[in-house]
Amino acid sequence: MNQRAEREPWDPGAIERKWQAIWEERGTNLHSDDDLRTATRPFYNLMMFPYPSAEGLHVGNMYAFTGADIYGRWRRMLGDFVFEPIGFDAFGIHSENFALKKGVHPMELIPSNIVNFTRQLRRIGAMYDWNHTVDTTDPGYYRWTQWIFLQLFRRGLAEKREAPVNWCPSCKTVLANEQVIAGACERCGTPVEQRFLSQWFFRITDYAQRLLDNLSWIDWSDTTRRAQENWIGRREGAEIHFPIARRKVTDDRHEPAEVHADPHRITVFTTRPDTIFGATFMVLAPEHPRVSDVTTDEQRAEVDAYRQAAIAMDLVARKKTDKRKTGVFTGGYCVNPATGQDIPIWIADYVLMEYGTGAIMAVPGHDERDFEFATQFGLLIVRVIAGPDDTAASPLEGAYIGPGVLVNSDRFDGTDAASASGTITEWLEARSLGSARVNFRLHDWCISRQRYWGPPIPVIYCNACGAVPVPEADLPVVLPFVEDYRPDESGISPLARVESWYRVPCPQCGAEARRETDVSDTFLDSAWYFLRYPSANIDNAIFDDDLIAKWLPVDMYIGGEEHAVLHLLYSRFVTMALHDAGLLPFEEPYTRFRKHGLLIKDGSKMSKSKGNVVIPDAYIEEWGADCFRMYLMFLGPYQEGGDFRDEGLQGVSRFLYRLWDTVVPADQLGAEPASGSIERALHATIRKVTEDIGELRYNTAIAALMEYLNAVREGGRAANRAEVEPLVPLVAPFAPYIADELWQRLGHHQSLFSTISWPGFDADKAIADDVELVVQVNGKLRSRLTVPRGTSEDDVRAAAVADGNVARFVDGASVRKVIFVPDRLINIVVG
RNA sequence: GCGAAAGUGGCGGAACUGGUAGACGCGCGAGACUUAGGAUCUCGUGGGCGCUGCCCCGUGGGGGUUCGAGUCCCCCCUUUCGCACCA
C-alpha cells in the first residue's frame, strides 16, 4: 500500500507566498513607533545596509543578510523584542559611476534600483521592519547628514584646508584613489597628477587615542579590532630639532667652512631616538615648507625640477615601495644635535609630508630605506648598534635592525639600544633639542567630493564673513537636479555650474555669497544611519531621545571585513563626537560586532571582472528561499566564508524534503513520548544548536539538525510527535517558511516568530548512561568498551585486559603505567 | 617588508580545555523499489596489505615535548587576507 501517494508534497514557492503575506498582515516583522517605545527586552540587530547597484542583490549580500537574520530570528524566538531594519546607502561614487555608464540620470536610476532591491530583499526571508527604513538620498535623511556636519563644524571638528588630490588632466576631474589604476586614470588612461585643492576635513585625529583605547573593551571580532589598531597606528618616539647650519660661501667648497648655528631649525619625528648618533643626513619631503630656505643657489635649479616632478606625480604611484629611490641634495646642512656635526639636507619623495613632520633624520646604518638611499648617493653610513656578534667597527652590508648595544654613541656607548630611547630623549629634552612625542598614522578624514551624487556640504562663502554654516532652519540644502552632472572643464563639482543654485545671500550679513559646491563623502551618510532607523519616521529631529535611550547602542552588528577600518571607524568617530556634544548617552555605537567571511566561487572571490558573481534569484526560484538560505549557512563556517557550489544545494534540499515528509501529515505522528537514545539525542541536539547559533557556528548547527533527523528516521521507523515537534523551531531561524508551515500543521496558531518558541533542554537528559571508552596500549587504539558512566579505573582496567585484542598486546610484557581518563579512555603502557 | 589567519579524503568541511581523525553534506560504488525521476530507500566509501586484521600508514614538510599531538613548542614551505617608502 502506497501511503506516499496520499501525501502532500512540499511546495516551497507556495509556502513562501503564504507566509510572507501572513507575517506582513500580522505585523510579525513590522513595528509601529509605539511598539518600539513600549518594547520590553529590546534587541537591536543590525546588518550593513547595501548600496543598491543596478545589477541587483548578489549572493554576497544575501550571505551577509541571512547570517544576521538568523541571529535576529533566534533572539526573537528566545523572547527578545528584535528590531531588524534595512535601508539603502544610495549616494556615492559607485552609484554615480554606474549612472554615467548607463546614461541614466541617478535621480531616475537609483529609485528604480531601490524598487528592484526591495523586491529581492522581501524574498530572502529576512524579517525586515519595512516601517523603519532609510534611504541616504532622501532629503528627509540627508538633511540630518548635513546637520551632523554643522554640529562638528560648531565644535571645531570640521575645517577647510588644502590637500593633495589625484587629478586627471584629460578628464579634468578629481579622482578617488580607487579610480587610479597603476598611476593612470581608469577611464582614459592618462597619467594622473597631484593637485592641491581646498577641502573639508573632519579632525578624527583628535580622537585617535580614544578610538584606540575603547578597542580594549568593545566586543568585536579580533581581526577587525586589530585592523583598526593598525590603521590608527599609534607610534611612540620623539620630536628632535636639528638647527639649520649656514655655510659661508668659500672658494673651495670641500674645505670645512665656518659653521654657526642658526636659531631656525627643522624638526623631525622618529621612533628610534636611540639611533640619533647614526643620523648622517636629513631628508625632507619635496613639499616641505622649508625646502627653499635651505637650498643653495647652486642647487636651486635641480631642487626645483625635482620638486615639481615629485609633486606632479600621482599619489598612488609615488607610494609604490618597489621603485628605486630618487632624491636631490639641497646644498644646505643642519646640525645633528647629538654629535654636533653638520649633516647634509636632501629632498626625496620617499619622505611623505603627511606623516610626522615631513622631515626625517636618516640613519642609514639601521633603517633599510635610508641605507638604500645612502648607498645610492654615496652618503656616510655609521653603525651605532652592535649586535651580539658585532663590534663598533663591524662593517654594515645592510641596515642592521636587530637588538644590540649602542656604539659610536659617545656617553651612551654600551647602553642597551631598546632601553636607550627614553634616556636619549630626556637628554635631548634637557637641552631643549627634542621631546617625547606620540604620532598616529591615522589622517584626518577628508569629506569633500568634487562630485554630483551626494549631499551638498552646508556652507556658504561670503567675502565679508568667510565660511558661514547654513542655519539649521534652512536645512536640507537640497541637491538640485542637474541634467548634465558630468565633471566639466572647470574641474570642480558639477554643482558649480548651477549659478541659480549656488548664488545665495550670506546668512549673516545678507551680502551676495556662494554655496559650497562640493558634496560630502558617502562614508558620512553611512556613519550614522543606525542612529536614524528607530526614528526613521520622525521629521522634526535627527532622532528621538527616548528611542535612542531604548534601542542604542546596537546590540549586534554583523558585516563584512572590508569595512573593518573606514566605515566602522568613521561611525565610531561620529558617535563619539555626538556624545561629546551631549546628543548621545554612549560613545561606542556597536556593543558587539562580528565579521562574516567571504564567499568564494571556483577558487576565487566573486567579482564582476571574473564573471563569477552569483545572483540569488534563479536559485531561490529553483530551490526555494529556505533551501538557499540554509545552504549558504551550511557551506562553511560563517565567520570565515566558504566555497559556493551548485551541487551543495542538493543535500540541504534533501534534508528539508525529509523533514517535511517526517512531519506531514501531522495527525499520523505517533503519540509516544521521546525515550531512550532518541530522547538523549534530542536534548543534546537542542543544546548544540543553541550554543552554535549563539556563536554564529551555523554550519555545525545544521549538521547537528541533519544528524538528529537521520536518527529519528533510522530504519524507516514511524516518528513520534514528541521527537519531531521540537525540531521545527530549531530549523526555523535557517528555514523560516517551512518551519512556520510545519508548526501550523502541528496545530499551533501562532507564528514561531511571534511567541517565545525556542525549545529548552535538560542537560541531564542529554547525557547517555553508558559511554564508549577507548582502550589504548602504548597510545594506540586496541579496543573499545561500553561501560556505565562513571565506571571506576579498576573496573575498566579489569574489563580492558580481559579483551582478547588488548591481551594480545599486553600479555608477556610488564605494565609500567596506566593512564585513566574517566568516561573517556584507558591507556596501558607496557615496556 | 609588517601584521593576521589558515594548510585535514575525490570535493565543501567536522574534531570541547592534548584523549576514537574524517561528524554533516556533495560526489562516487553496490543493491532495492519503480511504466524512468534533478527521484526515493538501504549498505559501502582516507590509503595500503599477506584484504574481513578493530593489522600497518595517515591531518603541508622536518625536528621536539608527552603515556598519548590535527591540536602544544622550534625550524621550513605554501596559500589567503589586511596594512604598506608611516621614519
Side-chain angles (χ1 to χ4, degrees):
Chain A
M1 174 164 150
N2 191 356
Q3 272 195 348
R4 194 158 293 243
E6 300 161 19
R7 292 192 169 180
E8 181 190 348
W10 174 42
D11 179 353
I15 290 174
E16 284 166 30
R17 284 187 293 275
K18 170 181 167 183
W19 286 97
Q20 269 164 15
I22 293 176
W23 291 337
E24 296 232 338
E25 185 189 317
R26 294 189 191 163
T28 306
N29 309 343
L30 311 177
H31 309 299
S32 68
D33 286 10
D34 277 348
D35 292 340
L36 294 187
R37 281 177 210 285
T38 58
T40 51
R41 292 179 61 183
F43 189 92
Y44 192 164
N45 191 49
L46 184 68
M47 54 201 85
M48 290 181 174
F49 66 162
Y51 88 89
S53 67
E55 292 87 359
L57 185 85
H58 60 82
V59 75
N61 297 128
M62 183 164 164
Y63 183 69
F65 298 156
T66 300
D69 180 65
I70 285 165
Y71 194 81
R73 286 187 181 273
W74 177 66
R75 296 298 300 222
R76 174 164 295 182
M77 293 171 76
L78 286 170
D80 287 340
F81 188 113
V82 176
F83 178 49
E84 187 172 300
I86 194 81
F88 303 98
D89 188 13
F91 262 145
I93 292 178
H94 277 296
S95 303
E96 185 181 320
N97 282 353
F98 202 85
L100 280 167
K101 205 156 117 194
K102 281 257 168 179
V104 181
H105 196 279
M107 281 194 178
E108 215 177 296
L109 182 66
I110 299 302
S112 75
N113 288 353
I114 287 179
V115 168
N116 186 41
F117 248 72
T118 306
R119 180 189 59 76
Q120 289 181 301
L121 285 170
R122 282 176 187 271
R123 288 196 71 182
I124 66 172
M127 48 175 203
Y128 296 129
D129 184 344
W130 293 104
N131 288 348
H132 294 87
T133 182
V134 302
D135 165 4
T136 56
T137 66
D138 180 348
Y141 179 87
Y142 70 72
R143 162 187 189 177
W144 301 112
T145 307
Q146 293 169 336
W147 186 85
I148 286 173
F149 176 92
L150 296 180
Q151 306 314 307
L152 297 194
F153 180 83
R154 182 171 301 156
R155 298 183 62 77
L157 290 171
E159 66 183 24
K160 200 168 198 203
R161 58 174 187 255
E162 290 239 311
V165 291
N166 292 303
W167 173 262
C168 173
S170 164
C171 301
K172 293 190 165 51
T173 185
V174 167
L175 300 175
N177 271 350
E178 57 268 26
Q179 293 176 291
V180 180
I181 313 293
C185 171
E186 75 170 349
R187 269 195 287 176
C188 65
T190 311
V192 169
E193 297 171 357
Q194 185 187 152
R195 281 211 180 170
F196 287 80
L197 290 183
S198 192
Q199 321 224 31
W200 283 97
F201 284 85
F202 282 165
R203 299 173 55 95
I204 189 171
T205 50
D206 289 3
Y207 284 74
Q209 190 64 52
R210 240 164 109 193
L211 289 165
L212 185 65
D213 290 344
N214 285 6
L215 288 174
S216 67
W217 58 264
I218 53 181
D219 177 12
W220 283 25
S221 293
D222 283 345
T223 53
T224 314
R225 248 196 319 227
R226 226 173 339 244
Q228 290 217 349
E229 226 173 271
N230 288 344
W231 186 266
I232 295 168
R234 184 192 149 99
R235 294 295 144 85
E236 286 180 18
E239 274 188 355
I240 302 175
H241 312 304
F242 284 62
I244 295 174
R246 282 262 156 76
R247 283 185 165 251
K248 268 190 181 169
V249 180
T250 58
D251 292 336
D252 184 357
R253 288 217 233 136
H254 301 288
E255 282 297 304
E258 183 196 333
V259 174
H260 65 272
D262 187 286
H264 296 292
R265 57 196 195 180
I266 292 176
T267 301
V268 303
F269 172 74
T270 179
T271 55
R272 296 294 306 276
D274 54 313
T275 62
I276 187 159
F277 286 87
T280 54
F281 58 102
M282 172 183 276
V283 188
L284 306 182
E287 303 90 341
H288 197 283
R290 307 297 297 283
V291 172
S292 336
D293 298 353
V294 299
T295 301
T296 58
D297 293 340
E298 294 93 328
Q299 294 296 107
R300 193 162 301 277
E302 208 184 332
V303 166
D304 286 350
Y306 183 83
R307 277 184 101 178
Q308 273 168 26
I311 289 169
M313 197 185 306
D314 79 277
L315 300 169
V316 178
R318 165 146 168 206
K319 291 188 189 179
K320 278 257 187 297
T321 56
D322 49 2
K323 73 178 208 276
R324 206 162 163 268
K325 296 259 181 301
T326 59
V328 172
F329 177 46
T330 63
Y333 289 80
C334 62
V335 181
N336 179 323
T339 63
Q341 284 170 347
D342 56 329
I343 58 175
I345 304 173
W346 286 64
I347 64 171
D349 67 2
Y350 80 94
V351 175
L352 307 173
M353 196 59 221
E354 65 199 50
Y355 184 76
T357 62
I360 62 160
M361 62 176 214
V363 185
H366 306 284
D367 180 281
E368 285 174 21
R369 296 152 305 181
D370 297 344
F371 184 88
E372 191 189 331
F373 193 82
T375 309
Q376 203 166 311
F377 294 102
L379 296 164
L380 183 62
I381 300 173
V382 174
R383 174 190 283 277
V384 290
I385 297 175
D389 305 325
D390 302 318
T391 67
S394 301
L396 283 156
E397 276 162 29
Y400 176 71
I401 40 188
V405 295
L406 295 186
V407 293
N408 299 322
S409 296
D410 198 41
R411 73 191 70 186
F412 299 102
D413 281 355
T415 318
D416 175 56
S419 57
S421 282
T423 322
I424 290 183
T425 304
E426 281 164 27
W427 174 67
L428 291 167
E429 204 158 1
R431 298 187 298 144
S432 302
L433 289 166
S435 55
R437 158 98 198 189
V438 170
N439 235 329
F440 295 93
R441 307 167 74 145
L442 181 69
H443 292 12
D444 278 337
W445 175 13
C446 174
I447 60 142
S448 294
R449 294 292 178 273
Q450 293 74 31
R451 287 294 197 128
Y452 171 67
W453 194 233
I457 293 173
V459 170
I460 292 167
Y461 300 103
C462 166
N463 284 337
C465 310
V468 179
V470 171
E472 288 181 17
D474 294 348
L475 295 181
V477 177
V478 176
L479 179 69
F481 179 85
V482 177
E483 182 61 51
D484 180 11
Y485 56 92
R486 246 166 278 260
D488 71 1
E489 295 295 308
S490 70
I492 42 179
S493 167
L495 292 176
R497 219 174 303 158
V498 191
E499 204 182 334
S500 60
W501 179 79
Y502 71 69
R503 283 184 62 154
V504 286
C506 169
Q508 267 173 31
C509 69
E512 192 173 293
R514 180 189 168 97
R515 284 192 190 281
E516 167 67 65
T517 53
D518 284 354
V519 300
S520 59
D521 183 7
T522 333
F523 278 114
L524 181 57
D525 304 329
S526 58
W528 71 281
Y529 74 110
F530 54 95
L531 299 172
R532 180 67 181 167
Y533 276 136
S535 308
N537 305 317
I538 288 163
D539 293 332
N540 60 355
I542 181 169
F543 38 64
D544 178 284
D545 289 340
D546 294 338
L547 288 171
I548 286 282
K550 179 146 214 153
W551 287 97
L552 282 130
V554 168
D555 294 290
M556 178 63 143
Y557 194 21
I558 291 178
E561 183 76 336
E562 68 274 18
H563 292 115
V565 283
L566 299 180
H567 161 62
L568 288 172
L569 196 64
Y570 292 151
S571 53
R572 291 181 62 212
F573 160 68
V574 167
T575 303
M576 266 181 208
L578 294 180
H579 167 78
D580 291 353
L583 295 162
L584 292 174
F586 51 88
E587 62 174 42
E588 283 294 334
Y590 318 116
T591 306
R592 202 163 176 228
F593 171 80
R594 291 292 179 274
K595 61 135 195 180
H596 61 74
L598 206 64
L599 276 188
I600 300 292
K601 171 82 171 159
D602 305 326
S604 52
K605 68 174 164 188
M606 295 185 193
S607 70
K608 266 176 276 177
S609 57
K610 290 201 187 86
N612 60 354
V613 175
V614 174
I615 304 297
D617 297 44
Y619 288 95
I620 293 176
E621 197 62 51
E622 189 174 350
W623 298 91
D626 283 334
C627 177
F628 196 57
R629 280 168 62 100
M630 202 159 178
Y631 169 63
L632 289 177
M633 297 302 108
F634 185 56
L635 57 71
Y638 184 61
Q639 296 187 71
E640 282 156 47
D643 214 351
F644 182 93
R645 286 156 66 248
D646 289 12
E647 311 89 75
L649 282 152
Q650 189 63 251
V652 173
S653 184
R654 283 183 189 140
F655 167 76
L656 292 173
Y657 268 107
R658 275 196 287 252
L659 175 66
W660 177 273
D661 213 45
T662 307
V663 177
V664 174
D667 54 19
Q668 286 182 18
L669 286 166
E672 312 264 313
S675 63
S677 63
I678 294 284
E679 187 189 24
R680 269 198 305 282
L682 175 60
H683 286 273
T685 302
I686 297 172
R687 180 170 65 187
K688 168 119 181 98
V689 173
T690 305
E691 287 168 359
D692 279 357
I693 293 181
E695 296 300 321
L696 273 48
R697 292 191 299 253
Y698 301 141
N699 57 331
T700 49
I702 293 168
L705 294 168
M706 290 172 164
E707 219 169 328
Y708 178 66
L709 185 63
N710 290 345
V712 167
R713 290 169 58 94
E714 196 175 6
R717 62 186 276 277
N720 286 307
R721 184 185 177 99
E723 296 162 358
V724 298
E725 187 161 18
L727 188 54
V728 173
L730 293 181
V731 167
F734 305 100
Y737 296 112
I738 193 174
D740 242 355
E741 177 68 22
L742 291 175
W743 196 239
Q744 189 183 57
R745 285 166 184 260
L746 284 162
H748 301 276
H749 302 294
Q750 292 248 51
S751 164
L752 283 161
F753 308 107
S754 38
T755 49
I756 298 178
S757 54
W758 193 255
F761 60 90
D762 184 335
D764 293 336
K765 287 187 179 158
I767 296 167
D769 300 332
D770 291 337
V771 290
E772 193 179 58
L773 198 131
V774 173
V775 183
Q776 294 180 341
V777 178
N778 286 350
K780 290 200 172 181
L781 172 71
R782 295 303 176 192
S783 179
R784 294 166 227 260
L785 298 171
T786 301
V787 297
R789 180 170 292 279
T791 303
S792 71
E793 175 171 354
D794 288 346
D795 292 348
V796 169
R797 186 171 172 175
V801 294
D803 182 280
N805 196 54
V806 175
R808 258 171 66 193
F809 293 93
V810 172
D811 286 356
S814 58
V815 175
R816 300 181 23 177
K817 197 174 179 182
V818 174
I819 312 287
F820 177 70
V821 183
D823 298 334
R824 198 125 225 178
L825 65 69
I826 183 163
N827 185 11
I828 300 166
V829 186
V830 298

